[in-house]
Amino acid sequence: MIAPKPQDSTSAAHERVYRALRSRIMHGEIQPGAALTLRGIGAEFEVSMTPAREAVRRLVAEGALSLSSSGRVSTPELSNDRIEELAALRALLEPELGSRALPRAHLALIERLEQINGRVSQMIARHDAAGYIRMNLEFHRTLYLRAQAPAILALTETVWLQLGPTMRALYGRLNRTEPPASHRMILGALKAGDEPGLRLAIRADATKGLRMLKG
């Protein structure tokens, strides 16, 4: 067998670190304003500084991490204006994805969404904030994949990524005891083939909670 080139192994390590950190940030496993160091990332993932630096560089470019003039890397602490902007993007992008998915929302998909919503309930019962955010995003992603609109979905996931740590803070304020009522509205609209109702339910789900963080 031919041994892999050094740059190939470095590229694989960079991708692994990037994917792991991206998932943690998107799912609220890292608090807003948490500091990260290249040395700490390298030690945790057992990689050199180069893959750690490249992963951080990509996440900074996506808005998932902030880089100060002094070189400090941290998860962003969003201002009210930034929260409003990202909520507005969700309100634009996600109803469009839902609308495009509706013609392909067959019974098997709706049943799958109901199962995921049940797992949302399980995470709430466990008081698992990161698990709740993960299952909530899976609910939406599962629906949006049916839209067959990869560019819009990629933009939406970038917004989710920037909001991840903030969503963790929001979960603490909501004190949820059950899945969002808007999930039931989404499921009802899908079953009825109600496109305006689906858009309204998705828009409410995307923006209602974020408004609580302002002020």
Side-chain angles (χ1 to χ4, degrees), residues 40 49 54 65 67 70 94 124 130 135 154 164 174 188 202:
M49 294 287 280
E54 285 302 303
L65 293 174
L67 179 63
S70 64
E94 296 187 42
I124 292 170
M135 288 299 102
L174 290 177
I202 292 174

Side-chain angles (χ1 to χ4, degrees), residues 44-196:
E44 178 179 356
F45 291 97
E46 299 181 339
V47 298
S48 67
M49 294 287 280
T50 299
R53 185 180 296 108
E54 285 302 303
V56 166
R57 182 189 60 78
R58 287 177 67 182
L59 291 166
V60 168
E62 291 181 298
L65 293 174
S66 297
L67 179 63
S68 71
S69 56
S70 64
R72 181 179 183 271
V73 177
S74 62
T75 50
E77 296 181 278
L78 302 181
S79 66
N80 285 347
D81 286 345
R82 187 63 172 159
I83 291 170
E84 179 66 36
E85 179 187 9
L86 293 173
L89 281 172
R90 289 195 66 183
L92 287 170
L93 297 170
E94 296 187 42
E96 179 65 20
L97 285 168
S99 177
R100 290 173 180 240
L102 183 58
R104 304 180 186 89
H106 305 305
L107 182 59
L109 174 65
I110 296 172
E111 290 177 347
R112 172 63 179 152
L113 292 172
E114 288 175 332
Q115 292 171 358
I116 296 171
N117 208 37
R119 294 171 70 187
V120 173
S121 296
Q122 293 173 5
M123 295 302 153
I124 292 170
R126 297 175 189 170
H127 305 288
D128 183 346
Y132 167 82
I133 295 169
R134 184 180 297 106
M135 288 299 102
N136 184 51
L137 292 183
E138 184 175 335
F139 178 90
H140 288 275
R141 185 183 287 108
T142 299
L143 172 60
Y144 300 160
L145 282 170
R146 301 297 294 178
Q148 297 183 6
I152 302 175
L153 182 56
L155 289 172
T156 300
E157 290 194 341
T158 298
V159 175
W160 291 348
L161 181 61
Q162 294 181 29
L163 279 169
T166 299
M167 293 301 293
R168 175 63 175 267
L170 172 62
Y171 179 85
R173 291 195 187 186
L174 290 177
N175 193 28
R176 288 204 182 278
T177 58
E178 59 183 15
S182 48
H183 281 197
R184 294 193 299 272
M185 294 169 59
I186 290 169
L187 290 166
L190 289 171
K191 292 174 182 176
D194 177 5
E195 195 262 352

Side-chain angles (χ1 to χ4, degrees), residues 7-22:
Q7 60 263 35
D8 292 338
S9 59
T10 298
S11 176
H14 148 239
E15 188 68 20
R16 175 170 60 87
V17 175
Y18 166 75
R19 292 291 174 188
L21 286 176
R22 187 176 188 273

